[in-house]
Amino acid sequence: MNWLGSLQQLGRAVMLPTMVLPAAAILLSIGSLPWAVWGIPSVGDAANVAGQAIFSFIPYMFAIGVALGLTNQAGQAGLAAFTGMVIYDQVSSHAGRSLIEPTTLIGIMIGVIAGLAYNRFSSIKLPEALQFFGGSRFVLLFMGLFSALFSYIMIALAPYLQAGLNEITLLLGRMGGVGLFLYGFIHRILVAFGLHHLLNNIVWFQVGTYTTSTGNVVEGDLPRFFAGDPTAGSYMAGLYPIMMFALPAIAIAFVHEAREDLKPKVKKTFLIAALVSFLTGVTEQIEFSFLFVAPYLFIVHALLSGLSMWIAYALDIHHGFSFSAGAIDFVLNYHLSRHAWMLIPIGLVYGITYYILFRWAIRRYQLATPGREEISALNDWAGNIPYQAPLILQALGGKENIVRVEACITRLRLTVHNDRIIDSNALKALGSAGMIKLGGGNVQVVFGTYSELIREEIRKLMDKDLPQVLFCAPLQGRMIPLDEVPDKIFATKLVGEGVAFIPEKGELVSPVHATVVHIYPTMHAIGLRTREGLDILLHIGIDTSELDGYFTAVVNVDDVVEPGQLLIKFDLANIRKLATSTVTPMVITNPKRVKSWSFAPFKSVKKGQASVMSVVIFDEIDIEDRNAGGVK
C-alpha cells in the first residue's frame, strides 16, 4: 500500500469516531430547553451531562475507532486500544494531568499503534508452552506493556506536543481570514481524495484549548464550540453557505440544463441530492458529478469555499456542527452560535452565484454533466441493493480482486489486487457518481449515502460461495425489460425469464461461459448451456424465423464459448425493414433452476459489457429438496 492509500485508510479510520457526535449535539440541544421553567430541571441537567460526557471521552472513542478502522473492525484491536488509553490515562494522572493536554492526538496515536499491532501480530505463533498468549491475545499483551512505556515517554514529550499545537493555533490566529481561506480551499480539494478528515481532525479536535467553568480543558474548534467557548466555530461557520445553498444550486442547474428526455430522471436524482446536501451537508454525489467532467470548475468551487470561510470570519460569525454543515445542525446548534443568522443571506447570494456560474459553464463549454448524457441513479433501485450488489462486485473485478472493502458515509474505499480490471463504465451505470484511483490498488467509488449498505452486501457475497452466474451484454444497444418485448410469448415469459435488447450493431456475442447446444436453421437464434446447467436462448428480432440469408453463425454446435465471443453476424438494416421488431430477447428457458435474479439499470449497453444480469441458482441440495416437495 502506497503512502496515499495509507492516508486514505487513516482518514476513514479517523472519521469513524465522529459518528457519535450528532448524539452529543442532540442531547445538548435538549438540555438547552427551559426545563426549569417547566418544573423539571433534572431533565435538562441529565441531557447536558450526557452530551458533555461524549466530549469528555472523545479521546477514548478516537483510540478505539481508529483501531477498528485500521483492522477491518477487529474487536481485539478496539479492546487493545481501550487498554492503551486506560493505562495512559492512569499514568498521566499520576504524573500530573496538567502537563499532558493533547488527549485527542494521544487517542489517535494509541489507536494507530493498536491497529498496526493487530495487523502485525494477530497471527503470531509462539512456542507451544506459550501459545495461549499467541494470536490475537498477543496484541492485548503487547499493548498492555507497550502503553506503559508509551505513557512514560509521553510524560516528557506531551508538553512539547502541546506547545506545537499552541503555536499552530497562534499562527492560524495571526493569519486571520487568510488562514480560514486556505483551510476552506484545501478542505474542498481533499474531499476529492477522501483525505479531508485528516485536515478536519487537526482544526476540529486539536487546535485551541478552552477551560470550562468546571475546570475541564477541551481542545479543538468543535468540542470548544459545544463547551461554550465564544471564540470557537470559526472553522465550521463558513461551510454552511456551501453545503446548504451552493451545492443544492449546482444540482438545480443540472436539472435545468438536462435534456428533455432525461430531465425527469435527473430531476428525481438531483433534487434528492440537493435536499440531502441542504439538510445533512453530505455533498459528494453532487461534487463528483462535475469533478471529472470539469475539474477547473471544481477548483473554482474550492476557491469560493475558501472565500466563504473568510467572509464568515470577517463578519465574526461563529457556528458549529456535530456532523456536517446542513440545516439540521444549523437549527440544532443555533443556540450556541453567534451572528449565525447572517449565514442565511450569505448562503442565498452563494446559491444564486453558483446557479448562474454552472448554467453558464455547462452551456459555454458543452459539459457532459448529468442529464446531458444518460445516467443511472442508485435511488432507482435502492430497495434492491442486495440483488444489485453482485453486479457491483463483478464490475469491481470479482471477489478474487478484492483485498479489502470499507465504506464511509458516501463512498466505498477499496484495496484491490488490480485496479485496471475495474469496469468504471459499469459502475457508472450502476449508480456510481465517480471513481478515484489512488495507486497501490487503493480505489474509492462514490455511491452516495447507500455506500454502507452496498459494502455490507458485498461482504456477504465475499463470505459465502454462492452458485451464481453473471451475464454480459450480448450486443450493443439498449437493454429493456422482457415485458416490453413486442411479442406476447416472450413478454408473458412463456419461453423463460430474462431481459431483451434493442440492437444498434449486427453482432451477437456470448453473454456467458457456455456450450453451444443448438443453432436454428436460419441462424436467427442460438441456444447455449452454461456449466451450471442454465439453458439460454438468444433470439435476434421478432418474427425473424423466415428471414433466411440475413444471419451468419460463426460458431458450431458443441463449441465452447466465452463471454464476449462472437456468435452470429446479422444484417441489421434489412432486418429492421422486414421483421416485426429487432428486439432481441435473452432468456433462461429453465428458470426453475434460478433462485434469485438481479438486473442492471435498463439503459444503453456496450457489447460484452459486464454485468447486465446476475442469477443465483439452486445448488444440488436445493434441487433435491424442491423435487421432494421441501421448502427452502
Side-chain angles (χ1 to χ4, degrees), residues 20-21 86 104 147 190 230 260 335 342 377 379 395 457 527 623 627:
V20 74
L21 295 181
V86 169
T104 302
S147 297
L190 292 179
E260 287 302 319
H335 65 286
M342 287 190 285
N379 299 336
E457 293 302 326
I623 294 173
N627 290 338

Side-chain angles (χ1 to χ4, degrees), residues 439-490:
N442 295 286
V443 178
Q444 297 177 0
V445 186
V446 178
F447 275 112
T449 51
Y450 295 109
S451 297
E452 287 279 358
L453 299 177
I454 295 171
R455 186 273 308 273
E456 290 303 316
E457 293 302 326
I458 289 177
R459 281 187 174 177
K460 291 177 184 178
L461 292 171
M462 294 177 65
D463 290 340
K464 54 186 177 182
D465 189 17
L466 292 175
Q468 176 182 327
V469 181
L470 297 162
F471 288 74
C472 299
L475 44 74
Q476 179 173 319
R478 183 177 181 85
M479 187 169 81
I480 62 173
L482 198 62
D483 56 17
E484 293 184 12
V485 175
D487 181 90
K488 288 186 178 180
I489 294 178
F490 282 110

Side-chain angles (χ1 to χ4, degrees), residues 112-123:
V112 169
I113 294 168
L116 295 177
Y118 179 86
N119 292 333
R120 175 65 179 84
F121 299 125
S122 61
S123 59

